[in-house]
Amino acid sequence: MKVVVDFDLCEANALCMEVAPEIFKVDDQDLLHILIEHPDEKYRARIQEAVRLCPRQAISIEED
Ligand code: SF4
């Protein structure tokens, strides 16, 4: 899978980082970084939770 974030929508509130800190990091300049763009399947459930929680619907999962 591939984790995709629409950075135009993201407001850097870090909710995704709370559920999946291995994947998402908001830095001290309020910029979101995807730490693992092609994560292992073991992270899927928590990434899906981040997709669900994101108030901006900025995160999506693509299958590759
Ligand atoms: S939860 Fe959504 S809006 Fe918040 S930092 Fe993550 S991608 Fe951005």
Side-chain angles (χ1 to χ4, degrees):
M1 81 185 112
K2 180 181 181 194
V3 178
V4 178
V5 171
D6 185 334
F7 290 97
D8 291 334
L9 292 176
C10 174
E11 59 184 17
N13 52 38
L15 293 175
C16 53
M17 185 169 80
E18 283 182 25
V19 292
E22 299 90 345
I23 310 296
F24 302 102
K25 178 179 170 61
V26 176
D27 68 18
D28 50 15
Q29 315 235 340
D30 278 353
L31 290 173
L32 176 66
H33 302 273
I34 303 173
L35 300 179
I36 311 175
E37 198 175 13
H38 296 274
D40 190 274
E41 282 295 323
K42 68 183 179 186
Y43 294 116
R44 182 179 290 270
R46 284 194 289 133
I47 296 167
Q48 285 173 331
E49 182 72 356
V51 169
R52 196 179 66 78
L53 283 176
C54 175
R56 304 285 294 158
Q57 276 97 50
I59 309 168
S60 55
I61 299 172
E62 290 180 1
E63 304 305 328
D64 52 13

